[in-house]
Amino acid sequence: MKLFNYFSLLVFFLSSGAWAITGAEYSAVKNTLLKEMSNHHDFTTEGLFHGLADGLGLTDAAQHLYVGSPTASEGYRAIYRRLCQLSKDNGATAEQRATVAKLEKFMHDIGLA
């Protein structure tokens, strides 16, 4: 019986948006898109995505993102995986999912995914 209760609780959390996007995560995604789409690129790609990793709470990924890092791809992959989760989040608004999906597509298009 306990196994059934545990399974029911797990299904509830997964179906109710347990991976819901937080305000900080959404703000980090929006800021990254705004910086990337601006005409003033006074940042490096590593620096831009380091800030995003921090905003998403991915401190392990952020440690890989610095200029000349031989393991930067690990950081980019972790960010991309989190964006994929967030873009499919049932608890997010349509606008949030679309914004996250735009950054997800951008990372894929420039070869960071």
Side-chain angles (χ1 to χ4, degrees):
M1 186 67 168
K2 281 190 175 220
L3 182 60
F4 177 75
N5 289 340
Y6 176 75
F7 181 73
S8 297
L9 185 62
L10 180 63
V11 169
F12 170 76
F13 278 116
L14 293 176
S15 65
S16 65
W19 298 106
I21 188 168
T22 65
E25 289 173 323
Y26 187 57
S27 179
V29 168
K30 282 180 30 176
N31 287 336
T32 300
L33 280 172
L34 287 173
K35 285 181 183 177
E36 180 54 41
M37 296 189 183
S38 75
N39 291 330
H40 305 289
H41 286 235
D42 57 349
F43 53 83
T44 62
T45 301
E46 295 88 354
L48 178 68
F49 284 96
H50 183 279
L52 176 60
D54 281 340
L56 293 175
L58 301 173
T59 54
D60 289 343
Q63 294 175 5
H64 295 283
L65 299 172
Y66 58 88
V67 175
S69 170
T71 59
S73 62
E74 291 178 35
Y76 294 128
R77 279 195 304 272
I79 291 171
Y80 186 75
R81 283 191 305 269
R82 181 66 178 141
L83 292 175
C84 289
Q85 288 175 335
L86 294 173
S87 69
K88 294 164 183 61
D89 176 25
N90 292 332
T93 66
E95 177 185 345
Q96 289 173 326
R97 283 192 306 273
T99 302
V100 172
K102 188 182 296 186
L103 185 54
E104 179 187 344
K105 181 181 181 325
F106 170 75
M107 286 187 73
H108 185 269
D109 289 349
I110 65 170
L112 295 180

